[in-house]
Amino acid sequence: MTLYSCCLILLLFTWNTAAYGPNQRAQKKGDIILGGLFPIHFGVAAKDQDLKSRPESVECIRYNFRGFRWLQAMIFAIEEINSSPTLLPNMTLGYRIFDTCNTVSKALEATLSFVAQNKIDSLNLDEFCNCSEHIPSTIAVVGATGSGISTAVANLLGLFYIPQVSYASSSRLLSNKNQFKSFLRTIPNDEHQATAMADIIEYFRWNWVGTIAADDDYGRPGIEKFREEAEERDICIDFSELISQYSDEEEIQQVVEVIQNSTARVIVVFSSGPDLEPLIKEIVRRNITGKIWLASEAWASSSLIAMPEFFRVIGSTIGFALKAGQIPGFREFLQKVHPKKSTNNGFAKEFWEETFNCYLPDGSKNSPSSTSFHKSHEEGLGAGNGTAAFRPPCTGDENITSVETPYMDYTHLRISYNVYLAVYSIAHALQDIYTCTPGKGLFTNGSCADIKKVEAWQVLKHLRHLNFTNNMGEQVDFDEFGDLVGNYSIINWHLSPEDGSVVFEEVGHYNVYAKKGERLFINENKILWSGFSKEVPFSNCSRDCLPGTRKGIIEGEPTCCFECVDCPDGEYSDETDASACDKCPEDYWSNENHTSCIPKQIEFLSWTEPFGIALTLFAVLGIFLTSFVLGVFTKFRNTPIVKATNRELSYLLLFSLLCCFSSSLFFIGEPQNWTCRLRQPAFGISFVLCISCILVKTNRVLLVFEAKIPTSLHRKWWGLNLQFLLVFLCTFVQIVICVIWLYTAPPSSYRNHELEDEIIFITCHEGSLMALGFLIGYTCLLAAICFFFAFKSRKLPENFNEAKFITFSMLIFFIVWISFIPAYASTYGKFVSAVEVIAILAASFGLLACIFFNKVYIILFKPSRNTIEEVRCSTAAHAFKVAARATLRRSNVSRKRSNSLGGSTGSTPSSSISSKSNHEDPFPLPASAERQRQQQRGCKQKVSFGSGTVTLSLSFEEPQKNAMANRNAKRRNSLEAQNSDESLMRHRALLPLQ
């Protein structure tokens, strides 16, 4: 079985060697061999394998100058290490480098060569095999380029734990150490690149993009990571397509149709140059311009795409490039390449022929008849020169510096430096093995590996623990996933004004070590859009929503396609493309454009507004008029009118009216806690005091005039002390109500936000509406009682008690406060206070006008009526009317009784009241003489009762008149004294002057 396995492996190795002749590898012997995989060609020729004969290896086509430069970087690094006195002294590194042709099949062919040789060494078949040229095992492989190729290679090398250090494979799938155990790389993981792409799109405020990815292990994972990042940033993807360099023309046409019809201007491409080239050519043929291309590192500097003839289509490209490194002496090394001098490099001959478009006669394979290739260029994967039916022979004296090819483009060494770093990483791992001290090693019991018999898995162990400083002074160590964390440069494609070539202008960088939000830096002043414009292109599904609006979802469309909806009242947005409007704070409201919040309008019944000024003026007017009346009453306090209206109670009544007018001012101005607690009690107590005065006054006079015979009890009841006591008791009840209210539920200032959204009404929260109801209800109860007594007193003498005016004032009072209740309940805000102020002022003015204005008018403008005779005449007339009615009633009763007893018609009453029936005085006096007589003797009134007229006469003269006049007056009234009502009439007639 062992012999069978040996024969099988030898067969594989033999077949593999036969497939790769001397001109298809670069090989050099050494103590330790490193493998290399590089894309010297872009692809393979399509060939139909009908299997009618033994299948042959497919031919590689389209020479890749940059791929050859990367190979040269590996050889340069190995030769530099071999010549170093400190790094691996007395040890020689060899190499075996193969062309992958940028395909998985060719890469696996080369990988089988590495694996087969290692397996032969592990079997130790030297005693069975006579190998004159034994090649040591390959202890590490540098490569490959594409992530798809590296994935296939890593699966195979991982079976034998052969370390693989890639210089250009950035797929995040390769970080899975469970699947790719021996894979490491000197290029950053694509995960950071996808995040950086999303950050750039967010930076330019784009949200509507398309994606294109290579259909391999590089493009698919990269674009998938980008989708995840885009979703987190609310970036929408209009289309997502997969491409390949092997896609047929119909598939390419379909992708181009999608791009042409899309409204997305930004296209994110995760692909290599060769995979993208067919698509770009078709886009150029259709002249689809105006797109912004966001390029991944694999094609951002590709000379296959960055061609002047393509610039009008892809001139707005922004891409990522690896950080450039420095390789001292590498430029000179590149210039020394020559087919005759580079004996270990089997690719030098083809390179020479492709560079100078000639052929070397000693090579049959590269004769003019057998050479076929396409024109193309690629920085990561550069291109060949041109095709021709005939090439002249090469002289060998051609100057490599006289021809411009991607091979000599050493201005930005990115991939080349990664190759250089990969070789040095392996060398430093070997150096660690070489310098390992037993007992401090990485293997069992601290043992060390033998550098002369080192195996691949031992090198892999040291690579995982590698830590060294490179030639640029940077620390190099692989993380747990075998990755090196690095930064990216951001480049923008410009057209060189000198030679018209495409140049890569660095416009920013992406620092993966920085904090989130600070990683991206872009210098917008350096960016040229479409090669000339400075204006950032627009790539959004919808136009930006201006501040004051928000994005509204359109049903059936992606979230990036929206309509702009105005923010509702009370909400605002101060940024562009706001997803939602923010609510204003409680005391703020949105401005007219809804772009910010402004303080809400504060409303209360202000002193400065017209309405408040008007109410204040009316209140001041009421205070002034009341003070004026009080002044008049004080000045004329000894006049009959003032005395007749109960002077002391009138003063108290006027004072209460002053309080009523003043209490209305507490309702004006910004409500404070103290004003809220003072205004209702002040209003309630003032009005109760006013109504109590009127009530006591009216009730006292009514009792006097209704009483039959004055008694000492009546005189005691009519005293001032008891009157004031009654006023105090009535007012005290209101005071108790107010005290209980303020103690249990005191009113307070309240900022009401609910009535109107944009206005804050500062009002008084009454604390208890029930207490307010009791306060107003008690006032109305007293007013109703007062109205009752005033109505009963309506026929009392006008100049004495003005009962009619009091009745009218009470009617006004009731009308005002009954109207106040629905008005108070239906208004809000400052108008609540205004309604109450109006009610207070209306009621106060009604009381003031009805009770006092008539008296003031008489005092000031009719002094002739402000006399004792006028007052007594009016009072006596009322007394005599009452007495006459009583006498007539008794006369009628007596007549009816006489008629019933004797049938007599009855006699007229015996009285000093003279009666006349239907005839006049035989000697009437002139009117002037009559008035003079009345003024001299008193007053004379006629009272009609049915068919009769009773003439009443009474003389009032001053006490200082002569006694004779008094005796004459008494004589004229001597007959009247016979009636039992004479005493009552005299009392009522003299009452006003007491």
Side-chain angles (χ1 to χ4, degrees):
M1 184 64 182
T2 304
L3 183 61
Y4 174 77
S5 300
C6 176
C7 292
L8 178 61
I9 293 173
L10 285 173
L11 179 62
L12 287 172
F13 178 73
T14 304
W15 180 80
N16 209 310
T17 303
Y20 283 82
N23 293 331
Q24 292 177 308
R25 72 172 67 184
Q27 180 171 305
K28 183 180 180 180
K29 294 181 180 180
D31 300 323
I32 298 174
I33 300 298
L34 303 183
L37 298 173
F38 294 91
I40 309 302
H41 294 84
F42 280 115
V44 295
K47 188 175 182 180
D48 184 17
Q49 300 286 358
D50 56 6
L51 301 180
K52 291 182 179 180
S53 59
R54 181 185 179 88
E56 298 180 1
S57 180
V58 292
E59 181 185 0
C60 297
I61 58 174
R62 303 173 65 200
Y63 195 79
N64 183 0
F65 285 97
R66 283 188 171 82
F68 183 69
R69 174 155 55 91
W70 301 339
L71 180 148
Q72 287 287 79
M74 179 175 178
I75 295 175
F76 175 79
I78 290 175
E79 291 183 359
E80 193 175 63
I81 292 169
N82 287 338
S83 61
S84 172
T86 57
L87 191 58
L88 295 177
N90 304 321
M91 297 289 296
T92 302
L93 295 180
Y95 52 82
R96 294 173 64 214
I97 303 173
F98 296 98
D99 180 14
T100 64
C101 299
N102 204 35
T103 60
V104 173
S105 59
K106 286 293 184 181
L108 288 178
E109 278 187 74
T111 306
L112 281 174
S113 174
F114 304 139
V115 173
Q117 181 60 45
N118 286 22
K119 196 61 181 174
I120 290 174
D121 289 349
S122 67
L123 294 176
N124 197 15
L125 298 177
D126 290 345
E127 55 182 299
F128 301 104
C129 302
N130 184 14
C131 300
S132 58
E133 295 185 1
H134 174 68
I135 301 176
S137 299
T138 303
I139 54 95
V141 175
V142 176
T145 307
S147 296
I149 297 173
S150 287
T151 300
V153 172
N155 279 318
L156 183 56
L157 293 179
L159 295 175
F160 303 95
Y161 291 93
I162 300 174
Q164 174 190 359
V165 184
S166 175
Y167 50 85
S169 300
S170 56
S171 172
R172 63 191 185 118
L173 297 180
L174 292 167
S175 296
N176 185 354
K177 294 298 105 179
N178 291 326
Q179 184 176 357
F180 308 106
K181 301 178 179 65
S182 61
F183 180 83
L184 302 98
R185 52 187 163 192
T186 56
I187 186 173
N189 189 327
D190 273 340
E191 189 155 346
H192 297 295
Q193 186 176 186
T195 303
M197 284 181 166
D199 286 344
I200 286 180
I201 293 174
E202 186 178 34
Y203 176 86
F204 288 110
R205 303 183 66 84
W206 297 325
N207 65 10
W208 190 237
V209 301
T211 62
I212 296 175
D215 192 10
D216 56 22
D217 288 339
Y218 170 72
R220 288 191 302 268
I223 212 67
E224 181 183 351
K225 175 62 178 176
F226 170 78
R227 284 198 198 98
E228 294 174 2
E229 296 291 334
E231 186 176 355
E232 291 181 4
R233 294 165 173 79
D234 293 329
I235 299 170
C236 298
I237 298 176
D238 184 27
F239 63 87
S240 187
E241 300 292 335
L242 296 175
I243 58 173
S244 171
Q245 61 178 318
Y246 303 110
S247 299
D248 56 35
E249 186 176 351
E250 184 179 350
E251 292 174 338
I252 296 296
Q253 294 280 358
Q254 184 178 355
V255 175
V256 173
E257 288 286 343
V258 171
I259 294 173
Q260 190 171 14
N261 296 329
S262 173
T263 57
R265 295 189 62 187
V266 174
I267 301 176
V268 179
V269 182
F270 250 99
S271 174
S272 62
D275 287 325
L276 184 61
E277 184 187 19
L279 179 67
I280 296 298
K281 286 183 175 179
E282 180 60 25
I283 291 175
V284 171
R285 189 186 70 80
R286 295 196 184 191
N287 195 27
I288 302 174
T289 59
K291 302 294 183 182
I292 300 104
W293 300 83
L294 194 55
S296 65
E297 168 274 328
W299 73 276
S301 55
S302 170
S303 58
L304 275 175
I305 312 298
M307 300 179 67
E309 54 266 35
F310 295 166
F311 190 79
R312 72 178 188 275
V313 170
I314 55 174
S316 296
T317 298
I318 292 180
F320 292 87
L322 299 174
K323 184 179 179 181
Q326 298 177 0
I327 307 176
F330 185 53
R331 177 181 180 181
E332 292 75 15
F333 179 80
L334 291 176
Q335 294 174 352
K336 291 179 182 178
V337 65
H338 196 279
K340 294 181 179 179
K341 297 178 182 179
S342 304
T343 56
N344 296 321
N345 192 343
F347 301 104
K349 182 179 180 182
E350 185 179 1
F351 164 75
W352 198 264
E353 291 176 340
E354 295 295 335
T355 302
F356 299 105
N357 198 22
C358 62
Y359 75 96
L360 294 173
D362 58 342
S364 59
K365 192 167 186 176
N366 297 87
S367 61
S369 61
S370 63
T371 304
S372 176
F373 50 89
H374 298 277
K375 181 180 180 181
S376 214
H377 297 282
E378 215 276 321
E379 146 61 318
L381 314 166
N385 255 347
T387 65
F390 176 78
R391 286 181 174 179
C394 302
T395 63
D397 296 328
E398 291 85 358
N399 184 2
I400 192 70
T401 61
S402 64
V403 182
E404 290 187 4
T405 62
Y407 172 76
M408 292 300 296
D409 184 11
Y410 48 79
T411 54
H412 296 92
L413 299 176
R414 294 186 173 94
I415 300 296
S416 299
Y417 184 76
N418 285 352
V419 175
Y420 180 82
L421 190 60
V423 175
Y424 264 87
S425 298
I426 298 171
H428 277 278
L430 293 171
Q431 177 71 10
D432 291 344
I433 295 174
Y434 181 80
T435 59
C436 179
T437 302
K440 297 182 179 180
L442 299 177
F443 304 103
T444 306
N445 298 324
S447 60
C448 298
D450 186 357
I451 189 64
K452 296 182 179 179
K453 297 181 180 180
V454 66
E455 298 185 35
W457 65 272
Q458 294 172 326
V459 177
L460 177 61
K461 179 68 172 179
H462 277 271
L463 279 171
R464 290 179 178 177
H465 294 81
L466 183 66
N467 193 331
F468 74 99
T469 303
N470 61 15
N471 66 324
M472 296 178 64
E474 298 173 342
Q475 204 69 20
V476 178
D477 60 327
F478 297 100
D479 61 18
E480 57 181 325
F481 303 108
D483 300 334
L484 285 183
V485 180
N487 298 325
Y488 291 98
S489 297
I490 300 173
I491 59 175
N492 180 223
W493 290 13
H494 291 188
L495 203 60
S496 174
E498 299 174 357
D499 56 5
S501 63
V502 178
V503 294
F504 310 116
E505 180 72 22
E506 186 170 334
V507 296
H509 60 264
Y510 188 82
N511 185 2
V512 299
Y513 298 101
K515 294 187 298 183
K516 189 174 181 180
E518 300 178 1
R519 297 173 182 172
L520 180 67
F521 170 77
I522 293 180
N523 186 351
E524 292 189 51
N525 295 326
K526 291 185 176 181
I527 298 179
L528 292 178
W529 304 101
S530 300
F532 61 88
S533 176
K534 288 285 187 178
E535 183 180 356
V536 179
F538 180 81
S539 184
N540 296 60
C541 183
S542 302
R543 284 289 174 184
D544 294 344
C545 289
L546 299 177
T549 62
R550 64 171 179 83
K551 296 188 289 187
I553 298 175
I554 301 176
E555 188 174 356
E557 295 290 337
T559 56
C560 297
C561 300
F562 50 82
E563 59 182 353
C564 295
V565 181
D566 291 335
C567 290
D569 292 338
E571 298 182 9
Y572 75 101
S573 66
D574 56 358
E575 59 184 13
T576 304
D577 278 346
S579 299
C581 298
D582 298 321
K583 284 187 174 295
C584 291
E586 188 178 21
D587 291 344
Y588 289 80
W589 193 251
S590 55
N591 60 2
E592 185 178 355
N593 298 324
H594 298 91
T595 56
S596 63
C597 289
I598 57 177
K600 286 184 178 181
Q601 180 181 350
I602 304 295
E603 277 209 4
F604 52 86
L605 191 57
S606 172
W607 299 99
T608 57
E609 65 176 292
F611 197 29
I613 293 174
L615 293 177
T616 303
L617 291 177
F618 276 109
V620 172
L621 177 62
I623 294 173
F624 171 76
L625 291 177
T626 306
S627 302
F628 175 76
V629 172
L630 182 59
V632 170
F633 268 55
T634 303
K635 183 177 180 181
F636 297 95
R637 59 185 176 276
N638 294 321
T639 61
I641 287 292
V642 176
K643 288 182 176 182
T645 56
N646 200 333
R647 180 172 51 197
E648 290 75 10
L649 277 181
S650 295
Y651 292 157
L652 187 58
L653 177 58
L654 288 170
F655 171 75
S656 66
L657 285 174
L658 278 175
C659 294
C660 290
F661 283 114
S662 300
S663 67
S664 66
L665 297 177
F666 289 114
F667 292 83
I668 305 174
E670 182 176 354
Q672 304 291 336
N673 284 337
W674 69 272
T675 57
C676 290
R677 292 169 186 172
L678 184 60
R679 65 181 193 174
Q680 296 291 6
F683 142 70
I685 294 173
S686 298
F687 264 95
V688 165
L689 179 61
C690 178
I691 301 300
S692 298
C693 291
I694 298 172
L695 174 62
V696 171
K697 181 179 175 183
T698 306
N699 188 39
R700 172 181 173 271
V701 175
L702 182 64
L703 289 174
V704 168
F705 278 93
E706 290 296 327
K708 301 297 181 181
I709 300 296
T711 63
S712 59
L713 180 62
H714 287 136
R715 293 188 183 92
K716 185 178 181 181
W717 179 260
W718 296 331
L720 284 177
N721 293 334
L722 188 57
Q723 294 175 39
F724 284 125
L725 178 62
L726 291 175
V727 171
F728 171 76
L729 291 176
C730 293
T731 308
F732 181 74
V733 175
Q734 187 78 302
I735 294 173
V736 171
I737 293 174
C738 293
V739 169
I740 295 174
W741 182 8
L742 294 177
Y743 181 78
T744 58
S748 60
S749 177
Y750 172 63
R751 300 172 72 89
N752 195 328
H753 300 265
E754 300 174 357
L755 298 177
E756 290 190 20
D757 294 328
E758 69 276 13
I759 300 175
I760 299 176
F761 290 100
I762 303 181
T763 59
C764 285
H765 186 271
E766 302 299 349
S768 173
L769 290 178
M770 181 180 294
L772 179 62
F774 274 117
L775 183 140
I776 297 177
Y778 178 68
T779 306
C780 292
L781 175 63
L782 291 181
I785 297 173
C786 184
F787 174 77
F788 171 75
F789 285 119
F791 183 78
K792 288 192 67 177
S793 305
R794 67 189 182 280
K795 295 183 179 181
L796 294 180
E798 284 187 5
N799 291 339
F800 180 64
N801 199 33
E802 326 85 43
K804 293 180 182 179
F805 294 108
I806 294 177
T807 304
F808 187 66
S809 68
M810 291 297 103
L811 285 175
I812 293 176
F813 184 88
F814 278 117
I815 291 172
V816 168
W817 289 108
I818 291 173
S819 303
F820 164 77
I821 295 173
Y824 185 88
S826 60
T827 54
Y828 60 89
K830 65 180 181 180
F831 299 107
V832 174
S833 298
V835 166
E836 193 159 358
V837 171
I838 292 172
I840 292 173
L841 293 177
S844 300
F845 274 114
L847 293 174
L848 179 65
C850 293
I851 297 175
F852 291 102
F853 281 4
N854 184 48
K855 295 179 177 59
V856 172
Y857 175 77
I858 294 173
I859 292 172
L860 296 179
F861 302 106
K862 297 291 184 179
S864 60
R865 295 178 59 185
N866 189 12
T867 61
I868 296 175
E869 289 81 4
E870 185 72 20
V871 173
R872 285 182 173 176
C873 181
S874 175
T875 307
H878 175 78
F880 281 118
K881 288 178 184 179
V882 173
R885 289 193 185 95
T887 302
L888 290 177
R889 280 197 299 270
R890 283 194 300 272
S891 175
N892 292 333
V893 171
S894 300
R895 186 182 300 112
K896 289 179 182 179
R897 187 178 298 119
S898 300
N899 290 337
S900 61
L901 294 176
S904 171
T905 58
S907 60
T908 58
S910 175
S911 175
S912 62
I913 302 175
S914 60
S915 281
K916 290 193 304 179
S917 184
N918 298 327
H919 62 273
E920 298 292 337
D921 192 344
F923 301 103
L925 293 176
S928 58
E930 180 66 22
R931 281 195 303 270
Q932 184 177 0
R933 190 183 68 174
Q934 288 187 5
Q935 289 175 1
Q936 291 174 356
R937 300 180 58 192
C939 63
K940 187 174 184 179
Q941 298 287 340
K942 292 183 180 181
V943 183
S944 299
F945 299 99
S947 60
T949 300
V950 179
T951 301
L952 307 177
S953 62
L954 184 64
S955 175
F956 304 104
E957 297 182 8
E958 295 295 334
Q960 63 266 26
K961 297 290 183 178
N962 54 58
M964 183 61 70
N966 289 334
R967 284 195 296 270
N968 292 336
K970 290 180 181 179
R971 191 178 295 112
R972 284 195 302 268
N973 295 322
S974 59
L975 294 177
E976 297 177 4
Q978 296 176 3
N979 193 286
S980 62
D981 294 329
E982 289 178 356
S983 177
L984 178 60
M985 287 187 292
R986 262 199 310 272
H987 174 76
R988 290 173 178 171
L990 299 175
L991 177 64
L993 302 178
Q994 292 178 355

